[in-house]
Amino acid sequence: MGKMDGKVAIVTGAAMGNGQGIAKILAKHGAVTVLADISDQVFETAEHMKKDGLNVHAVQMDVTRHESIRQAIEDVIGKFAKIDALVNNAGVVRLANFLDMTDEIRDFQFKVNIEGVWNVTRAVLPYMKEKKYGRIVNLSSVTGTMVADEGETAYATTKAAILGFTKALARETAPHHITVNAILPGYILTPMAEQIARESNPSNPQQVIDGIAGGVPLGRLGKIEEVGELAAFLASDESSYITGTQIVIDGGSTLPETVSVGV
C-alpha cells in the first residue's frame, strides 16, 4: 500500500524539473497524478511515466489564465470526481538588477509565481472544502525567505509572498480539514540549473555545477525526486497534523554562518 493510494493529485509546472520529480514520486506512492503545464511537453513527460507503469494524466494549463485553469480543473473533476492534493510548483525566474528590471519582467514573475498559485488554489479549493479534505503544497524557496543574491529582487519577492500566502490560507482552511504547507528548495539539479551552468561556462558546465556543490555542506545538488518525496509526505495523511509551516530542503546550504575563504 502506498501512502497516496486512492488519492488524486495535481502538480503544476510538471513538464520538467521539480514538478516532474514531484509528479513521478506522487504517482509512485499510488496517487492518480495529473501533470499540468503551459508547455505541451507535459504530454511527452506523462507518456514516459506511463511507460514506467505510473497512473498519470496530462493537461495543458496556463496558471495566469482563469479560463485555462477552469477547463483543466473541470476535466480533472469530470474524470476523477475529486482532487485530494494540489502541488503549486509552476514558477519562473528572470534575473536583473533592481534598477535595470523592467515592469514587464517584474510583472511576468509576479503573475506566474504569485497570481498563478492564487489562481489555481482558488479553483481547486471549493472541491476540497466540499469533501472536507485536502492537502495543498506550495513551492516557495530559500531565496527570498532566507537568502538572496544580486539580481533576484523580483523572484525573491514572489517566493516570500508564497510563504505568507501559505500561512494565511492554512489558518483559514484548517476547520475544513485542509492543510497548507510550503517547501523551500535550495540548489536542486534541474534543467534550469543545467542551463545556467551551460550559459556560464559553455565549455565545461559541470565545473559550474561542481562549484555550486562545493558550497553545499552535503557536497552536492539535490535531486528532483528528493523534492518529490518531501512533497509526497506533505500531500499524504502522514502529515495530517502539520499545517502552515515551511520545510527547507537545501543540503544545508543555508547553514554556514561565515563564507569559506581559500588560503
Side-chain angles (χ1 to χ4, degrees), residues 56 61 85 87 124 141 149 151-152 154 157 167 171 197 217 220 223:
V56 299
M61 177 198 291
V87 182
V124 169
S141 175
D149 283 329
E152 293 180 339
T157 299
K167 291 180 177 296
R171 180 63 187 90
R220 64 177 177 85
K223 302 173 184 177

Side-chain angles (χ1 to χ4, degrees), residues 132-241:
K132 299 188 182 306
Y133 179 91
R135 299 284 183 266
I136 298 172
V137 182
N138 300 320
L139 269 288
S140 178
S141 175
V142 296
T143 302
T145 58
M146 302 178 70
V147 297
D149 283 329
E150 184 177 339
E152 293 180 339
T153 305
Y155 179 73
T157 299
T158 67
K159 291 303 180 178
I162 289 172
L163 196 52
F165 174 83
T166 297
K167 291 180 177 296
L169 190 64
R171 180 63 187 90
E172 185 175 326
T173 59
H176 305 284
H177 308 288
I178 297 166
T179 65
V180 189
N181 292 290
I183 293 175
L184 279 59
Y187 292 115
I188 309 297
L189 189 59
T190 62
M192 184 181 295
E194 293 172 334
Q195 178 183 345
I196 292 172
R198 286 192 297 270
E199 292 174 354
S200 300
N201 188 346
S203 62
N204 190 359
Q206 188 59 44
Q207 187 175 50
V208 177
I209 298 295
D210 292 343
I212 295 172
V216 177
L218 286 183
R220 64 177 177 85
L221 275 64
K223 302 173 184 177
I224 58 175
E225 291 83 4
E226 290 172 315
V227 179
E229 293 289 356
L230 177 54
F233 166 68
L234 292 174
S236 74
D237 290 337
E238 292 181 355
S239 64
S240 57
Y241 201 57

Side-chain angles (χ1 to χ4, degrees):
M1 294 289 289
K3 69 178 73 176
M4 296 294 293
D5 279 356
K7 306 298 185 186
V8 177
I10 298 177
V11 183
T12 67
M16 64 179 68
N18 284 329
Q20 179 181 350
I22 292 168
K24 175 183 175 182
I25 298 300
L26 290 179
K28 187 191 81 171
H29 286 295
V32 176
T33 305
V34 180
L35 285 66
D37 204 293
I38 191 173
S39 170
D40 58 12
Q41 184 182 334
V42 70
F43 297 104
E44 181 181 347
T45 301
E47 286 303 315
H48 283 303
M49 292 186 188
K50 287 178 181 178
K51 290 177 182 178
D52 292 333
L54 300 177
N55 191 354
V56 299
H57 302 264
V59 294
Q60 202 157 12
M61 177 198 291
D62 181 347
V63 299
T64 69
R65 293 182 57 244
H66 292 290
E67 182 60 20
S68 175
I69 297 167
R70 185 190 65 78
Q71 290 179 358
I73 298 305
E74 286 186 357
D75 180 56
V76 174
I77 292 297
K79 284 186 173 71
F80 309 113
K82 64 174 184 171
I83 298 170
D84 298 295
L86 166 65
V87 182
N88 284 307
N89 168 76
V92 295
V93 58
R94 298 291 185 272
L95 302 180
N97 287 339
F98 181 69
L99 292 178
D100 297 328
M101 181 167 291
T102 65
D103 290 352
E104 289 75 19
I105 295 175
R106 177 202 64 197
D107 291 347
F108 174 60
Q109 294 178 86
F110 283 17
K111 198 164 186 63
V112 175
N113 296 0
I114 301 176
E115 290 185 35
V117 172
W118 182 291
N119 294 341
V120 180
T121 302
R122 190 166 186 173
V124 169
L125 190 56
Y127 298 101
M128 291 183 170
K129 289 181 69 174
E130 180 183 351
K131 298 290 186 181
K132 299 188 182 306
Y133 179 91
R135 299 284 183 266
I136 298 172
V137 182
N138 300 320
L139 269 288
S140 178
S141 175
V142 296
T143 302
T145 58
M146 302 178 70
V147 297
D149 283 329
E150 184 177 339
E152 293 180 339
T153 305
Y155 179 73
T157 299
T158 67
K159 291 303 180 178
I162 289 172
L163 196 52
F165 174 83
T166 297
K167 291 180 177 296
L169 190 64
R171 180 63 187 90
E172 185 175 326
T173 59
H176 305 284
H177 308 288
I178 297 166
T179 65
V180 189
N181 292 290
I183 293 175
L184 279 59
Y187 292 115
I188 309 297
L189 189 59
T190 62
M192 184 181 295
E194 293 172 334
Q195 178 183 345
I196 292 172
R198 286 192 297 270
E199 292 174 354
S200 300
N201 188 346
S203 62
N204 190 359
Q206 188 59 44
Q207 187 175 50
V208 177
I209 298 295
D210 292 343
I212 295 172
V216 177
L218 286 183
R220 64 177 177 85
L221 275 64
K223 302 173 184 177
I224 58 175
E225 291 83 4
E226 290 172 315
V227 179
E229 293 289 356
L230 177 54
F233 166 68
L234 292 174
S236 74
D237 290 337
E238 292 181 355
S239 64
S240 57
Y241 201 57
I242 300 173
T243 195
T245 195
Q246 65 273 3
I247 300 179
V248 174
I249 177 167
D250 72 344
S253 66
T254 55
L255 287 175
E257 187 172 0
T258 57
V259 177
S260 298
V261 178
V263 178

